[in-house]
Structure formats: C-alpha cells, structure tokens
Amino acid sequence: MSRPVTQPKVKGGKRGVIGAVGIILAAVFSLEGGFVDHPSDPGGATNHGITEHVAREHGFSGDMRDLKRECTIEGEVCAESILAKDYIEKPGFLPLIAIDPVVAEEVIDTAVNMGPRRPSRFFQRAVNATCGTQLVVDGKVGRITVGAWKECRAALGPRACVQVLRHLDHQQTLEYERLIRRNPRLRVFRRGWLNHRIGNVDRGRCGERANL
C-alpha cells in the first residue's frame, strides 16, 4: 500500500490524531467501496465515496473510475485528499478526533454519506441532549461547539461517547426516512443505509483515545 501524500493539517504535528484520521478514512473506504453509478442516486457517479461533482470541484478531470483512493504524488487529486479537506478539515471535525476519535468517526462517516452540514447539526443536538448544553444548532462546528464537547467528554468519560453515538444514529435514521418520503426512489438504498451506516461505529470502542 502506498504511503499517503496528503495529510490533514494538525497544529503541533500530533501523530496520534494523524493515525486516527487514517483509521477513520480506512473505515469510510471500506463502507463506500469503489465505483458506483446507481440510476436512483442523485449524487450520480461516485468512487471511494466521492461524487463526480465534488471531484470536479477539486480539479479532477478524468473518468471517475480512475479516481485513486490514495495519492501517490504531491499535489495529486485523490479520494483521500478530498475527504481530508472537505469532510474533516473544512467542517471543523479535526479537533473532535483528539477529544474522542470514536464519535469523530461517526460524524465524519455521516458527512461522507450525506454531506457535512447535516451531521454537524446532528452532533450539536447530540451534545445538547447528552451534556445539557445549549449550543445553537447552526451546523457550524467551531470553537464553542468543540469546547462544550471537550468539557462534557472530560466530565462524563466514555459514557458521553455512548450517549452521543446513540443520539447521532437516531437522528441519521430519521433523516433517511425523511429523504425517502421526499424522494421515494431512494427507498432502494434504505436497507443498505440502515444495515451499514446505523450502528456501524461500535459503542464498545468508546474510551479509545487518539494517543496524543
């Protein structure tokens, strides 16, 4: 396996976080698989979890079947570099990995599946429900949201992870049902979504840390 070229930017070069990112991306790739182009999928042609639209935004001009999972040369566009930028760094999820990589994996996996904005709101609601906070549910995971979660995770320990995962899965399930009601053609994906995206992050792993 080639060594990834593109890595998320982490202050202080925290290798534990970088390692956790690698584990999370491997889990996402395992679920997403390779190239698919289902006629009922509004996202169209997708490879390694990256839709054609997103790939083109990043400058990839080739056939989607040829989009590499990992970058092999500096500056190359690949699924790994796109996921790290658009689904971890830009939505503000990188600090979550240092706090609790298990919860971060669920948030990032959902972001790849349905875009970052919805799981950002799911996460804010989950923190409010678990921690008794009053975060504004605006889909912006910034300093206030991260700080509230860090404080709560430190106070409640692994129990906070279990509860947040439960709230995240519940909201994700409701969102799938809402999407299907709005677009019945999506029903063909329902079983796969529920079997592979709900409960896919093991609550038994709560307590894992990023080994900073």
Side-chain angles (χ1 to χ4, degrees):
M1 181 179 294
S2 60
R3 185 175 183 270
V5 172
T6 303
Q7 295 282 13
K9 297 175 183 177
V10 183
K11 291 182 178 180
K14 296 179 179 178
R15 294 182 180 180
V17 172
I18 293 296
V21 168
I23 292 171
I24 291 170
L25 291 181
V28 169
F29 287 138
S30 177
L31 279 174
E32 290 291 343
F35 178 81
V36 291
D37 190 8
H38 197 287
S40 295
D41 187 350
T46 301
N47 200 359
H48 305 303
I50 305 299
T51 64
E52 182 170 7
H53 174 72
V54 171
R56 301 303 183 216
E57 284 187 330
H58 283 263
F60 181 76
S61 58
D63 190 304
M64 281 299 294
R65 293 174 179 83
D66 298 328
L67 180 69
K68 293 180 182 179
R69 176 174 139 169
E70 296 173 344
C71 300
T72 55
I73 59 175
E74 192 69 36
E76 184 177 26
V77 177
C78 66
E80 179 187 64
S81 65
I82 295 172
L83 288 176
K85 183 174 182 180
D86 280 13
Y87 299 93
I88 298 180
E89 292 181 39
K90 285 177 65 175
F93 298 155
L94 193 59
L96 304 184
I97 298 174
I99 298 169
D100 192 311
V102 181
V103 168
E105 180 176 328
E106 173 64 28
V107 174
I108 293 165
D109 176 73
T110 306
V112 175
N113 183 234
M114 57 175 61
R117 194 66 181 267
R118 277 175 280 195
S120 294
R121 294 195 297 265
F122 297 167
F123 176 68
Q124 289 171 321
R125 292 191 190 104
V127 172
N128 283 342
T130 299
C131 309
T133 52
Q134 295 183 333
L135 296 172
V136 176
V137 181
D138 57 4
K140 299 176 182 178
V141 178
R143 178 181 55 83
I144 294 174
T145 297
V146 171
W149 172 231
K150 183 177 182 179
E151 183 176 335
C152 175
R153 178 62 177 78
L156 299 183
R159 178 164 57 94
C161 167
V162 174
Q163 293 182 11
V164 166
L165 287 179
R166 177 169 56 83
H167 286 295
L168 291 172
D169 276 342
H170 177 66
Q171 292 180 81
Q172 190 173 355
T173 300
L174 292 179
E175 181 64 6
Y176 286 144
E177 301 297 348
R178 186 190 72 82
L179 291 171
I180 291 169
R181 287 195 302 272
R182 193 177 69 177
N183 181 2
R185 294 182 64 190
L186 296 177
R187 184 168 294 277
V188 67
F189 302 112
R190 184 179 186 275
R191 178 176 294 182
W193 283 340
L194 297 181
N195 287 344
H196 301 297
R197 301 320 267 251
I198 303 300
N200 58 304
V201 177
D202 183 8
R203 288 160 173 74
R205 290 173 50 209
C206 284
E208 289 183 8
R209 304 308 296 266
N211 297 321
L212 302 182

